Amino acid sequence: MADVRAVAAALAGALALLLPAPAPAAPEPAAAVAPVAHTRAGALRGSAHEDYRVFEGVPYAAAPVGALRWAAPRPPAAWPGIRDARRPASACPQPAGEVPSGSTDEGCLYLNVTAPSDATPGRPKPVIVWLHGGGFTSGAGSSYDAHRMAVGGDVVVVSVNYRLGALGFLARARLPGSGTFGLADQQAALRYVRDDIGAFGGDPTRVTLAGESAGGYGVCAQLASPSAAGLFQRAIIESGPCAGGPARPFAPFALAPSAAEAAGTKLTAAVGCGQAADELGCLRRVPVPKLLAAQGADQEPEYGTAPLPRDPADAVASGRAARVDVLIGANHDEGTVWAAGIMAAGVAVTPATWPDVVRDFGPDPARTSEVVRAYPLRGAEGGPVFGALIGDADYACPTLRTGALLAAHQRVWRYEFADPDAPRPTPAPPPFPLGATHTTELPYLFDLGGTPRELTERQHRLAATMIGYWTRFARSGDPNGGGAPHWSRAAVQSLAPGRTGPVRPGPGHHCALWATMP
């Protein structure tokens, strides 16, 4: 199999999944009274808008610096007076990319709260806790302006920063929490919501954990984690199937201890700590930029640990995942953005090269001829066919499998986002239309980077429908109501402008073929 990590690194400057830079905060209306929330650690002053309130840069854990680098998150220190919570805090350390300037600030364990104006401790709203994507190496909670979801769905939305890359997922055999520090941060944020969301007008007994891509896989990990039990009552998984694995590396997955330890050993040597008598002490003194330069393009959590004793794929398959209501889905053309990027990096996809491409980028090189027959490539259609292969193998079929396995034990609602004209996520025009590729559902739910993407009138209606489904699910575990087309648990719901309803005649992603591969 080709080293897709190296390919991904080569594409970072060309076809990375970028969010726009956060827009400057809009000034508050002159007559607005800045809201104040009283939490256990102290009072917070937020921003008032016409029909919603926002609290940004809310500390949910102490800064993981010095001796707390690669340690379990600790509660934040209390503060006197009223803390200003009207500006986003730093993103967690990451290279420039989705966060345009990157970050080297380890003091990054903050969350953001967006609530309808009438949310009060006496009238609490359901809560959606959002985990951002980014391959566990990039992203920030503040990139997701959630006011449309909060106001349109009458919910409180919490977006979370968590440790990323080597700082979030370093694996060392004698290190407590090995390979799972970012997941531990997510749980700390959930505990903060349990204990303090009432101060913002949220209901701690109606918490939905949601995320996309790596964030969706974070939801899978929390479903499999005993220490997350009881911290959320529902789950939304967008483009982060729990059934992933190392043979399908375009989607997130978890590493076995041996593989995680090998990656940790490689990084430790690369930063000059491989022969240190006090390895951990040496690692804690390494400057952040040096760690970022040594880590891989993507990162994976480690299973076989106390926070994550089982691979989430095994937990789901064996019926050991948390039994909460689940809404899960993927996008119709998930893989096209990777196909376009790989082609832009110089990989030719033609009928003559197609068997070699399948051998390099498919899950099982020994099954190349079967895949070529299932995905025949003729003429100049290489990009879409290559994208279908990646999307089906890494996203569509693992998502369908995850949903079917979970549905044996709990209520599950399944969707396929299928707007062929969705705003593209790439900074430059791709070599072929991407369709409903990876991340393209996000502008229908959030204003990314504080700047709404341009949607047509039909797309705005779809956005309202999706927000309605998501937030009704958060309220009751059932997305139906509000006059929207009925969503049956027996079928996958297609989400596209003007044709929301069951997928017919079926997803058709050759899942029988992919199910027989690693």
Side-chain angles (χ1 to χ4, degrees):
M1 178 182 294
D3 184 355
V4 296
R5 293 296 182 279
V7 172
L11 301 178
L15 285 169
L17 301 179
L18 298 180
L19 296 176
E28 296 180 37
V33 177
V36 175
H38 296 274
T39 73
R40 291 175 305 152
L44 294 155
R45 178 176 287 111
S47 302
H49 300 268
E50 182 177 358
D51 44 14
Y52 66 97
R53 304 188 303 263
V54 180
F55 296 83
E56 300 176 281
V58 178
Y60 70 85
V65 298
L68 295 185
R69 182 188 275 186
W70 297 305
R74 309 287 177 84
W79 57 84
I82 301 177
R83 182 185 179 111
D84 190 1
R86 292 176 293 181
R87 293 176 180 80
S90 295
C92 284
Q94 58 192 280
E98 180 177 315
V99 174
S101 59
S103 173
T104 58
D105 187 355
E106 290 183 82
C108 63
L109 298 185
Y110 298 93
L111 53 79
N112 313 285
V113 181
T114 305
S117 295
D118 62 347
T120 65
R123 299 178 59 190
K125 312 286 187 179
V127 180
I128 296 177
V129 177
W130 178 257
L131 304 179
H132 67 78
F136 291 118
T137 58
S138 66
S142 58
S143 294
Y144 298 82
D145 179 337
H147 80 274
R148 286 190 290 119
M149 181 179 288
V151 174
D154 200 30
V155 298
V156 174
V157 183
V158 178
S159 62
V160 179
N161 287 357
Y162 54 92
R163 280 175 283 182
L164 302 166
L167 289 163
F169 299 95
L170 176 72
R172 307 307 291 144
R174 292 184 294 276
L175 179 61
S178 175
T180 60
F181 301 103
L183 300 182
D185 295 341
Q186 296 170 6
Q187 291 185 17
L190 286 167
R191 289 192 296 271
Y192 181 92
V193 167
R194 178 194 63 195
D195 298 336
D196 266 324
I197 200 62
F200 304 93
D203 184 348
T205 69
R206 290 186 292 171
V207 175
T208 297
L209 183 61
E212 182 269 342
S213 195
Y217 194 77
V219 178
C220 294
Q222 303 305 343
L223 287 170
S225 175
S227 50
L231 293 177
F232 57 98
Q233 290 70 50
R234 291 178 256 287
I236 297 175
I237 303 169
E238 299 177 29
S239 302
C242 306
R248 309 181 194 214
F250 293 96
F253 59 94
L255 285 175
S258 58
E261 179 71 16
T265 298
K266 181 178 179 181
L267 180 133
T268 299
V271 298
C273 294
Q275 303 301 318
D278 178 9
E279 179 186 278
L280 186 55
C282 177
L283 285 166
R284 284 178 171 150
R285 292 189 294 271
V286 175
V288 170
K290 191 171 182 178
L291 287 171
L292 294 178
Q295 71 185 27
D298 284 324
Q299 196 76 39
E300 294 83 28
E302 177 186 7
Y303 68 85
T305 62
L308 192 61
R310 297 180 185 86
D311 185 342
D314 173 68
V316 169
S318 62
R320 295 177 179 178
R323 297 192 178 181
V324 301
D325 295 331
V326 174
L327 188 157
I328 184 171
N331 297 351
H332 185 273
D333 308 294
E334 290 275 5
T336 53
V337 71
W338 280 284
I342 291 167
M343 293 168 66
V347 175
V349 181
T350 68
T353 64
W354 184 227
D356 291 332
V357 173
V358 170
R359 187 176 298 107
D360 284 345
F361 293 98
D364 188 349
R367 307 282 293 279
T368 294
S369 60
E370 294 175 70
V371 177
V372 169
R373 286 195 297 272
Y375 294 81
L377 195 158
R378 303 180 182 90
E381 62 184 12
V385 176
F386 187 19
L389 183 153
I390 293 172
D392 291 356
D394 289 57
Y395 284 95
C397 296
T399 297
L400 289 169
R401 174 171 168 77
T402 298
L405 290 168
L406 289 170
H409 305 284
Q410 56 223 86
R411 291 200 303 177
V412 175
W413 308 86
R414 298 172 294 162
Y415 75 87
E416 182 178 78
F417 177 78
D419 183 358
D421 300 313
R424 72 169 190 263
T426 56
F432 60 89
L434 299 181
T437 196
H438 194 62
T439 76
T440 50
E441 89 283 9
L442 292 175
Y444 296 73
L445 302 170
F446 302 97
D447 288 351
L448 301 179
T451 304
R453 299 286 176 91
E454 292 186 7
L455 301 178
T456 67
E457 183 178 344
R458 281 158 54 93
Q459 289 171 331
H460 275 296
R461 289 198 295 269
L462 175 61
T465 297
M466 291 173 60
I467 286 173
Y469 281 140
W470 265 233
T471 55
R472 285 190 296 272
F473 173 81
R475 180 166 289 102
S476 66
D478 187 335
N480 287 302
H486 183 75
W487 187 337
S488 168
R489 286 192 290 128
V492 176
Q493 183 84 345
S494 176
L495 300 174
R499 48 188 175 91
T500 300
V503 175
R504 295 188 177 96
H509 296 293
H510 300 288
C511 291
L513 170 65
W514 300 119
T516 63
M517 297 190 192

